[in-house]
């Protein structure tokens, strides 16, 4: 049976486009330094707001992912190179932007022995060298369960270790390519064991066919591994080749989920239709640190 596609987005998903000088300057900087951002590659709905406020999430290890997740707009294929100068260029751009909190993510690089963990670590250190007072958050892939790769990242001492669950357990294999729900939980648990003082964070998107009870179960699973921060947002279909949207959640439902998460003991929950893992990341960390 064909899946019904919900063509009309509700009013609360309308986005105000802002293309002022900050947006234009940041876009030009990314081009001149040959850098990628997940803001562009993943077609994030908040790009205009964030770039206008001089914030961005850097995407390292190129712009070609070795996985083909059915929700993601990032290009897939076989990467052809590894840019060892990329960490320094990211740090230089972050310094020029005068960021207080830098978020660094990547494509999945299953072709590399360490999954790119050494480049993550080098990027963290490069930012620290230039901007010792700036917070550094990393949003990492699962490194195919390689604990040594995770240790490499944690030894560079990021301020936040983020790894996304993306969806509920029942839908994980269909939504994510190669990633495993339990392996993701294990990564977050290992992070706490290896570096207990580094807060952990994870995110799920809604609207791909999950049940309310399954969302709550995912919250419980994350708290079981002592995850500190959770973000919850609405899935938006990047193209007709991606998973269709099965449901649009209302702002009231997102507010109810925030309450459910806080009751379960998360230090902070960011929940809303346009929330993405890195959206308002600095504010999330501030709120968590004050809890």
């Amino acid at each position: 049976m064909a899946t019904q596609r919900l063509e009309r987005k509700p009013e609360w998903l309308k986005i105000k486009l802002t293309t002022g000088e900050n947006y234009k300057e940041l876009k030009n900087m990314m081009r001149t330094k040959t850098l990628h951002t997940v803001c562009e590659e993943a077609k994030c709905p908040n790009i205009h707001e964030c770039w206008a406020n001089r914030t961005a999430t850097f995407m390292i290890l190129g712009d070609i992912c070795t996985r083909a997740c059915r929700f993601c707009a990032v290009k897939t294929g076989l990467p052809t190179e590894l840019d060892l100068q990329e960490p320094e260029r990211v740090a230089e751009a972050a310094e020029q932007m005068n960021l207080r909190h830098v978020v660094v993510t990547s494509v999945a690089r299953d072709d590399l022995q360490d999954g790119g963990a050494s480049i993550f670590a080098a990027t963290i250190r490069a930012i620290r060298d230039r901007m010792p007072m700036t917070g550094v958050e990393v949003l990492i892939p699962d490194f195919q369960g390689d604990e040594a790769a995770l240790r490499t990242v944690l030894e560079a001492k990021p301020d936040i270790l983020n790894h996304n669950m993306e969806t509920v357990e029942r839908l994980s294999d269909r939504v994510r390519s190669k990633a495993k729900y339990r392996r993701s939980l294990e990564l977050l648990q290992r992070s706490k064991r290896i570096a207990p003082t580094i807060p952990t964070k994870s995110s799920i998107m809604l609207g791909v066919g999950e049940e309310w009870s399954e969302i709550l179960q995912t919250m419980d699973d994350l708290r079981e591994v002592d995850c500190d921060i959770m973000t919850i947002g609405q899935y938006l279909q990047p193209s007709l080749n991606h998973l269709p949207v099965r449901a649009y959640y209302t702002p009231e439902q997102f507010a109810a989920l925030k309450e459910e998460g806080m009751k379960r003991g998360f230090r902070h929950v960011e929940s809303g239709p346009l929330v993405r893992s890195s959206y308002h990341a600095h504010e999330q960390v501030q709120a968590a640190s004050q809890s």
Side-chain angles (χ1 to χ4, degrees), residues 134-281:
T134 294
V136 184
E137 175 177 335
V138 290
L139 170 54
I140 62 172
D142 62 17
F143 298 132
Q144 301 186 84
D146 183 354
E147 183 171 337
L150 176 61
R151 283 183 179 275
T152 295
V153 175
L154 291 170
E155 285 168 0
K157 295 182 170 54
D159 291 284
I160 300 286
L161 190 289
N162 187 351
H163 173 70
N164 289 341
M165 301 301 297
E166 305 294 6
T167 189
V168 301
E169 184 169 17
R170 176 176 59 86
L171 300 175
S172 186
D173 288 347
R174 183 164 69 90
V175 171
R176 304 197 294 169
S177 170
K178 299 182 182 178
K180 300 294 180 185
Y181 184 89
R182 291 290 157 183
R183 187 163 70 189
S184 288
L185 286 175
E186 185 178 66
L187 180 151
L188 293 165
Q189 187 173 45
R190 281 177 171 172
S191 179
K192 277 295 188 180
R193 175 170 53 80
I194 296 168
T197 62
I198 296 178
T200 53
K201 174 178 168 182
S202 193
S203 177
I204 63 169
M205 56 188 173
L206 306 183
V208 294
E210 67 289 322
E211 300 291 339
W212 189 267
S213 61
E214 293 175 311
I215 302 170
L216 300 183
Q217 183 60 56
T218 303
M219 288 182 175
D220 291 338
D221 291 341
L222 286 170
R223 288 302 301 134
E224 185 69 26
V225 297
D226 201 22
C227 183
D228 299 293
I229 303 168
M230 184 178 188
T231 63
I232 309 169
Q234 172 70 50
Y235 168 64
L236 300 175
Q237 186 179 11
S239 78
L240 292 177
N241 295 321
H242 291 83
L243 286 171
V245 177
R246 297 292 187 89
Y248 288 116
Y249 287 69
T250 66
E252 291 75 20
Q253 288 174 307
F254 278 106
L257 286 170
K258 177 182 178 72
E259 185 176 337
E260 289 285 354
M262 295 305 291
K263 284 195 304 188
R264 284 164 167 76
F266 286 101
R267 288 162 62 183
H268 183 67
V269 178
E270 190 86 10
S271 180
L274 293 176
V275 166
R276 296 297 180 264
S277 184
S278 303
Y279 184 54
H280 291 173

